[in-house]
């Protein structure tokens, strides 16, 4: 490593976990985990990271093997990876409560490097040796006392291995199982050389053993390998082998998606080094397991269960008969690498590519399915599964009709009380305290035996002895029946009941209590989207008989939805004076709800309340299943909704502007429909956890949102059957579910005393992307809400799986990754290829307006500054997020979506998470019927020539269009001083070798295609921009785009005139006054957020009213296209009218003519192959001859070279024509090259990421190194230092310069992400400057 390497400091790695192991004989369970080159030590009970240690340099930890009995001075741990192995001494400092408070790690022994990879290690305590299993099918023995190799024994079978596992505590008992690349398992052991002659004839391999020249004397014997068996049943490579604790059986998993269990015919403890005994050992195939849909990576076997983990991200638990007990699927990405199980505590640990380490307590989570022999003494399950039947419904068999008696509604009010409503109008009360003797009580039968269509129950004073249940029933004749019950000593007692007519026959479909209104008011719903609010307070608390009480019921208000669809759910906030209702077609409607409506004397008034705002397609075309309003101290009320599309959507309602705005969403792919969200509070201000209640296929599921884990899954036949659930204070241990099947009510209840149980945290390590990361960018700390107080750095990353995540790195927490939350997913999960964060907003110089003091490089004031995050990827998807101010005081479930969106609840919940939060802004993608831009030209030519045969090829071209993807993006914000409109100009490069300039008009979210940057012979891999303010003030800024292509070319475009022309057009036409925009992102699951509308700016035919005129066509920008998508209709238009006016306006966003911009300069042959990465920076010193700003472009390519050149821009008049030149030409008209420098072999492989600020430069490549380059003002640079990172196959790099602390934070990502800190000495920085 070069001089000065002490300035580079490796930070923590966030990536796949490749090794797991429990520490033996510790008072509390401690877990060792290997990730990258680090060893992590966790306290499992406290879910706390005790310490992390760097074990290797650039070598991944593949295995951890602790020594059996820890001595008083610490525990010896063998850690190995690739061709290296180390022995470490681990010392744990225990606290007063027995828990670990500190961990120290010391290097005890460093073993010499091996010529093959280390696959396993085991301590042979009897002989004081360490056995090392190598991938050439050999075993090396290391003397722990003498610290030398004793012997190395090669198997007679010369082959390479994928896996090896050893069992035994001495050389005599050592058994070796080797998984070969030839789909075979070889079982062999070490025997003394004196017995070898008698064993050669019985060796199953058939080849005599060859003496290893490296063998040395050990205890008077020399050792060789003798084979016991060869197993050929697998049809794929053997990835993992696991022995049972007694060595009598072992498990193997393979590429063929199977797991196989094998039994030895005799106990290994009876093995002696006698030929007869070894010859009589048989290996018997015992069990074959199929259940994974991909390769299986790891396995575990005990006396009672078998566990497998695979590439399909599932962990399966099997019994010894091959029955699948349970399947976990809580990880994401490329698979689960490791599973670990502790039989004494029933704790299962899983870890994989997504960096998460998840803990499962089998006793508590899956109590109803494990066998009794799995449970240790003293542990009992509190799970009950039983079946009950109403006395009236029992005995019903055969087909049903409308007059048959059957259960229509169920409702739990507590774990042992269930209300049952039937088709004949009966309401039953079931006491489930004794499952063997369920007590049924007939509460009431509604008038005329009408079928009960809907039911809702509210419990008054649930924690007191005066607990009352108020049951509301809606029947088929449109009547509402209210029943008030109190708990009796033997059975419940009906205190009061009354009835009134709310709707006509068959028109009453829903009845809803609202907690904020208590039991004084109730809502009813009809099929046409009409809600009625009834005041029942006087009737409910009167002492009159039923007839008189019904006369006390009054209709207070009528709320009519503009969508005309049945209302499915609602919520009211009296503080915000708002009612939010969700309907069957996925829409939500906001109504004003004045406090006088809930007043006690509101019975005398009846009002028809008009809606104040609506949001079409909040859940696409799927039903809205629940609505919840959370009041905050800000100007906005927070709303979250769930729906049948499997999404949780977040909205905010502005109190003063009276509008509903989409904030964000979370999609749960494991749930087909989400019925509601349950928030567990220990107090009014402290939130413990949040859970999603829903269904997947035919199963009921309770999903832990904080840990992203499945808690309960029950097969019930789906959500269309009558069902009910009830959760206690600790849902992990207190949950009930009932459903109807075959005329019976099936109940599954697990109810353990909460005070006797302790929650076991389920996520130990921050969850990250489950696939390769292609792009990352720092979120500038200047954009944080409280950047002066924040010690965290936030990074946005885009992944192959189509997700964009925001990950925090804590400088105050020993440089650890503190949290990672998903911002969103590209439509259909299309891969994210590039991200860009926009920190500056420039002000346009508009000579037509009298705005004094405007200059080209003026930034918008902080209170008006907009910060955008842009991501692009496959299927030509371009998504933008906007940075929002964070409301810190409200920590409820729907506050900005943070608590629901966070994947971790145990790490860094208060480490500055509130400083950064993004809200989805807009998504741009081609229309469904578009064809690719280049081929569309040929189709047009064919039609002009009269060749109509090209028309059938449109479908093929449309299919080909799905393969196009965006490769890079760069963007900047420009504000018009006169109109106050802000435009985001984004330049995107597509894989079809096109580069296009697009504009996003804010705040209206309208997309425009502004210009096409031509010509491009090869696809562009990287884009950057320059905003040059060095010109005369009157001319304003210049906007330059820099690109690097796959053919090694670097090209520059001048977009100044194009951008000024577009801004002039927008200021004149005001398109945002006419065209609506997209309000909700698409999810790719049929939840599209409303009808798609694509309109042309020049030929728009939408009118808001009769006085509206069409947009002027004489000022169009060569008929630029607008791509606008709407989630609800234009304000003031009826639904049918909107559909009529928009059906004929759908067109391709590429069908219009887009102006073309020629390059200002092209440099060919900069790299011998593709330009993978490129960065532009303004030099600190201006050009000495002209005084103009000089810029530096540094690039890296597949040719392993790093290229840098410094230049100044020429006058705009010199940029009109395209110039082709090489970097050797000092003056090229459009720009002047001041200097140029190349390092031919900067990296040992392709360069993938690069960054510079003109003083220091940093690069990374596939050689897994970060190199620091010291630059001088002339552009020449030399390597200052380098460091080996833990990220395999790095793809991208970004740097944040902390000028206040004088540090550079370097983030590199690929298969995981790692932070590196660089602290230059002051003399180094001064010398470079």
């Amino acid at each position: 490593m070069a001089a000065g390497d002490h300035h580079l400091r490796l930070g923590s790695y966030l990536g796949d976990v490749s090794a797991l192991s429990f520490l033996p004989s510790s008072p509390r369970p401690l877990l060792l985990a290997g990730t990258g080159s680090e060893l992590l030590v966790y306290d499992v009970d406290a879910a706390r990271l005790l310490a992390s240690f760097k074990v290797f340099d650039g070598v991944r930890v593949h295995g951890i093997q602790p020594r059996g009995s820890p001595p008083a001075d610490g525990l010896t741990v063998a850690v190995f990876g690739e061709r290296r192995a180390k022995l470490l001494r681990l010392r744990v400092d225990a606290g007063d409560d027995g828990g670990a408070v500190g961990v120290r790690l010391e290097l005890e022994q460093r073993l010499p490097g091996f010529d093959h990879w280390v696959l396993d290690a085991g301590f042979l305590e009897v002989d004081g040796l360490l056995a090392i299993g190598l991938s050439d099918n050999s075993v090396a023995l290391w003397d722990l006392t003498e610290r030398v190799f004793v012997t190395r024994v090669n198997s007679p079978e010369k082959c390479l291995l994928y896996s090896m596992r050893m069992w035994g505590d001495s050389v005599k008992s050592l058994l070796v199982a080797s998984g070969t690349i030839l789909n075979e398992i070889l079982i062999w052991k070490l025997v003394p050389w004196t017995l070898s002659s008698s064993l050669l004839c019985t060796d199953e391999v058939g080849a005599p053993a060859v003496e290893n020249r490296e063998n040395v004397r050990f205890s008077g014997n020399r050792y060789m390998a003798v084979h016991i068996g060869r197993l050929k049943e697998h049809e794929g490579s053997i990835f993992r082998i696991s022995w049972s604790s007694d060595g009598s059986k072992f498990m193997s998993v393979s590429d063929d998606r199977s797991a196989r269990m094998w039994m030895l015919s005799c106990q290994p403890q009876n093995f002696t080094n006698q030929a007869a005994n070894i010859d009589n050992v048989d290996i018997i195939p015992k069990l074959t397991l199929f259940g994974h849909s991909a390769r299986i990576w790891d396995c575990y076997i005990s006396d009672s269960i078998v566990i497998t983990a695979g590439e399909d991200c599932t962990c399966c638990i099997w019994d010894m008969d091959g029955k699948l007990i349970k399947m976990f699927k809580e990880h994401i990405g490329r698979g689960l690498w490791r599973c670990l199980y502790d039989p004494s505590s029933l704790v299962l640990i899983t870890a994989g590519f997504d960096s998460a380490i998840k803990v499962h307590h089998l006793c508590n989570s899956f109590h109803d399915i494990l066998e009794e022999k799995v449970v240790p003494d003293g542990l009992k399950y509190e799970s009950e599964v039983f079946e009950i039947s109403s006395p009236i419904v029992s005995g019903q068999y055969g087909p049903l009709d409308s007059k048959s008696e059957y259960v229509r509604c169920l409702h739990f009010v507590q774990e042992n009380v269930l209300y049952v409503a039937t088709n004949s109008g009966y309401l039953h009360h079931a006491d489930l305290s004794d499952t063997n003797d369920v007590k049924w009580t007939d509460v009431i039968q509604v008038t005329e035996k009408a079928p009960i269509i809907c039911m809702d129950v509210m419990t008054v004073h649930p924690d007191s002895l005066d607990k009352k249940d108020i049951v509301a029933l809606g029947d088929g004749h449109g009547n509402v029946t209210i029943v008030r019950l109190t708990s009796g000593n033997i059975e419940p007692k009906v205190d009061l009941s009354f009835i009134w007519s709310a709707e006509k026959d068959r028109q009453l479909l829903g009845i809803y209590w609202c907690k904020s209104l208590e039991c004084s008011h109730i809502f009813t719903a009809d099929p046409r989207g009409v809600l009625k609010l009834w005041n029942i307070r006087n009737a409910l608390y009167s002492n009159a008989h039923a007839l008189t009480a019904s006369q006390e019921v009054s209709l207070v208000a009528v709320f009519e939805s503009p969508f005309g669809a049945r209302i499915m759910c609602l919520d009211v906030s009296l503080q915000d004076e708002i009612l939010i209702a969700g309907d069957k077609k996925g829409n939500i409607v906001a109504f004003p709800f004045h406090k006088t409506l809930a007043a006690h004397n509101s019975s005398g008034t009846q009002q028809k309340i008009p809606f104040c705002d609506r949001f079409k397609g909040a859940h696409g075309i799927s039903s809205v299943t629940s609505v919840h309003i959370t009041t905050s101290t800000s100007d906005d009320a927070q709303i979250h909704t769930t729906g049948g599309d499997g999404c949780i959507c977040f909205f905010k309602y502005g109190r003063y502007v009276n509008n509903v705005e989409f904030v964000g969403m979370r999609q749960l792919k494991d749930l087909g429909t989400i019925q509601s969200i349950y928030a567990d509070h220990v107090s009014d201000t402290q939130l413990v956890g949040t859970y999603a209640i829903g269904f997947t296929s035919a199963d009921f599921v309770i999903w832990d949102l904080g840990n992203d884990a499945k808690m309960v899954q029950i097969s019930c036949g789906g959500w269309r059957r009558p069902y009910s659930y009830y959760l206690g204070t600790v849902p992990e241990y207190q949950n009930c579910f009932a459903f109807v099947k075959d005329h019976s009510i099936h109940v599954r209840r697990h109810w353990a005393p909460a005070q006797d149980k302790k929650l076991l945290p389920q996520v130990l390590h921050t969850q990250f992307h489950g696939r390769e990361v292609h792009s990352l960018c720092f979120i500038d700390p200047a954009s944080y809400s409280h950047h002066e107080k924040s010690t965290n750095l936030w990074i946005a990353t885009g992944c192959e799986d189509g997700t964009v995540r925001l990950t925090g790195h804590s400088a105050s927490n020993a440089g650890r990754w503190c949290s990672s939350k998903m911002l969103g997913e590209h439509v259909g999960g299309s891969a994210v290829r590039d991200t860009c964060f926009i920190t500056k907003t420039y002000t346009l110089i508009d000579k037509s307006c009298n705005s004094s003091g405007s200059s080209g490089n003026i930034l918008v004031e902080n209170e008006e500054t907009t910060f955008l995050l842009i991501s692009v990827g496959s299927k030509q998807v371009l998504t933008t997020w906007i940075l929002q101010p964070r409301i810190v005081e409200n920590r409820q479930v729907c506050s900005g979506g943070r608590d629901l969106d966070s994947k971790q609840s145990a790490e860094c919940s208060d480490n500055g998470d509130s400083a950064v939060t993004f809200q989805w802004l807009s998504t741009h993608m081609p229309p469904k019927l578009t064809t690719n831009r280049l081929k569309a030209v040929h189709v047009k030519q064919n039609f002009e020539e009269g060749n109509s045969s090209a028309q059938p090829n449109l479908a093929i071209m449309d299919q080909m269009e799905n393969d196009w993807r965006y490769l890079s993006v760069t963007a900047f914000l420009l504000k018009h001083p006169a109109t106050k409109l802000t435009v985001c100009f984004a330049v995107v490069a597509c894989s079809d070798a096109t580069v296009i300039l697009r504009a996003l008009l804010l705040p209206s979210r309208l997309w425009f295609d502004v210009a096409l940057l031509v010509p491009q012979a090869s696809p562009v891999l990287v884009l950057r921009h320059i905003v040059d303010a060095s010109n005369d003030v009157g001319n304003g800024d210049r906007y330059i785009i820099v690109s690097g292509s796959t053919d090694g070319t670097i090209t520059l475009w001048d977009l100044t005139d194009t951008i000024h022309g577009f801004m002039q057009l927008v200021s004149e036409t005001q398109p945002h006054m006419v065209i609506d925009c997209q309000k909700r992102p698409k999810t790719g699951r049929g939840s599209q957020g409303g009808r798609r509308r694509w309109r042309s700016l020049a030929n728009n035919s939408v009118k808001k009213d009769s006085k509206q005129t069409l947009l002027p066509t004489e000022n169009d920008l060569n008929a630029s296209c607008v791509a606008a998508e709407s989630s609800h209709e234009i304000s003031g238009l009826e639904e049918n009218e909107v559909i009529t006016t928009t059906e004929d306006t759908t067109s391709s966003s590429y069908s219009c003519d887009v102006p073309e911009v020629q390059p200002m300069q092209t440099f060919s042959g900069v790299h011998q192959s593709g330009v993978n990465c490129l960065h532009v920076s303004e030099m600190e010193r201006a050009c000495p001859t002209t005084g103009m700003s000089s810029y530096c472009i540094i690039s890296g390519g597949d040719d392993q070279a790093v290229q840098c050149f410094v230049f100044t821009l020429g006058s705009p008049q010199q940029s009109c024509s395209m110039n082709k030149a090489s970097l050797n030409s000092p003056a090229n008209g459009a720009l002047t090259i001041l200097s140029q420098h190349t390092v031919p072999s900067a990296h040992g492989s392709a360069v993938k990421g690069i960054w510079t600020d003109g003083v220091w430069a940093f690069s990374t490549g596939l050689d897994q190194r970060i190199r620091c380059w010291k630059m001088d003002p002339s552009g020449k640079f030399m390597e200052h230092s380098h460091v080996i990172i833990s990220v395999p196959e790095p793809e991208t790099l970004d740097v944040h310069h902390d000028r206040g602390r004088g540090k550079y934070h370097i983030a590199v990502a690929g298969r995981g992400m790692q932070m590196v800190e660089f602290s230059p000495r002051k003399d180094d920085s001064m010398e470079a400057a």
Side-chain angles (χ1 to χ4, degrees), residues 323-604:
K323 178 183 177 182
L324 179 62
I325 299 177
K326 191 63 184 177
M327 177 185 292
F328 301 92
K329 191 174 183 181
E330 297 164 8
H331 291 262
I332 58 175
R334 294 205 177 276
L336 286 179
W337 297 147
R338 294 291 175 259
C339 62
L340 182 65
Y341 181 64
D342 181 16
S344 61
S345 60
L346 301 181
V347 171
L348 170 65
I349 312 288
T350 58
F353 199 102
D354 62 357
S355 179
I357 301 175
K358 298 201 174 186
V359 183
H360 311 272
H361 203 296
L362 301 189
C363 175
N364 296 320
S365 299
F366 305 101
H367 35 71
D368 56 330
I369 47 180
L370 292 178
E371 297 184 40
E372 288 294 336
K373 58 185 177 182
V374 183
V375 185
D377 294 337
L379 289 179
K380 295 183 179 180
Y381 298 145
E382 298 83 8
S383 179
E384 301 168 294
V385 179
F386 55 95
E387 181 180 332
I388 62 176
S389 181
S390 169
I392 298 179
V393 178
S394 60
Q396 296 282 342
Y397 300 100
L400 302 177
D401 55 28
S402 60
K403 297 182 179 180
S404 301
E405 176 69 324
Y406 56 89
V407 175
R408 275 188 171 268
C409 303
L410 299 175
H411 199 291
F412 270 114
V413 292
Q414 58 188 54
E415 72 275 11
N416 57 358
V417 175
L418 178 67
Y419 286 98
V420 181
T422 70
N423 190 55
S424 297
Y426 286 97
L427 174 65
H428 302 288
H429 176 281
D431 186 347
L432 308 180
S433 301
D434 186 358
T435 58
N436 296 322
D437 184 17
V438 177
K439 298 179 179 179
W440 289 92
T441 302
D442 294 337
V443 177
I444 197 174
Q445 184 180 19
V446 299
T447 306
E448 300 177 2
K449 299 183 179 180
I452 297 177
I453 306 299
C454 48
M455 175 174 63
D456 199 6
V457 183
M458 175 173 284
T459 302
V460 182
H461 310 300
D463 300 326
S464 66
L465 297 176
D466 191 26
K467 183 177 74 71
K468 299 178 183 295
D469 293 335
I470 304 177
V471 184
L473 305 172
D475 61 39
H477 293 331
N479 299 320
V480 176
T481 303
I482 302 295
V483 183
R484 188 178 67 195
L485 298 95
T486 56
S487 301
N489 295 328
I490 301 177
E491 60 183 22
K493 177 184 177 182
V494 177
D495 289 344
L496 176 69
S497 67
F498 56 91
I499 186 173
W500 78 93
S501 177
E503 296 287 347
K504 298 179 180 179
D505 283 0
R506 302 184 180 182
Q507 298 300 301
L508 179 58
L509 297 183
I511 188 165
Y512 309 103
W513 294 109
C514 188
K515 290 184 178 180
S516 60
L517 302 180
E518 298 179 341
C519 56
S520 61
H521 293 74
I522 195 168
F523 290 91
T524 59
D526 70 359
R528 299 175 301 279
V530 177
L531 271 177
K532 293 181 180 179
L533 175 64
W534 304 86
N535 187 342
I536 63 171
R537 179 179 180 83
N538 296 332
L540 186 63
Y541 293 103
S542 66
N543 295 321
H545 54 81
L547 181 61
T548 306
S550 63
Q551 296 175 352
E552 298 284 342
V553 177
S554 60
L555 179 61
V556 177
V558 177
F559 306 86
E560 186 172 354
S561 170
F563 300 107
R566 172 189 169 189
I567 301 298
M568 302 297 294
C569 52
L570 57 88
D571 195 14
V572 173
S573 172
L574 291 178
Q575 179 177 338
D576 300 307
E577 297 187 336
I578 184 68
L579 163 66
I580 304 293
D583 66 25
K584 192 174 183 178
K585 295 185 178 180
N587 313 303
I588 63 174
V589 185
F591 297 92
F593 195 94
H594 198 270
K595 293 180 180 179
T596 57
L597 295 177
H600 301 334
N601 57 356
S602 62
S603 59

Side-chain angles (χ1 to χ4, degrees), residues 970-984:
T970 187
F972 53 89
L973 284 164
L974 194 58
K975 183 170 184 178
H976 197 286
T979 62
K980 302 300 183 181
L981 291 176
T982 302
V983 179
C984 173

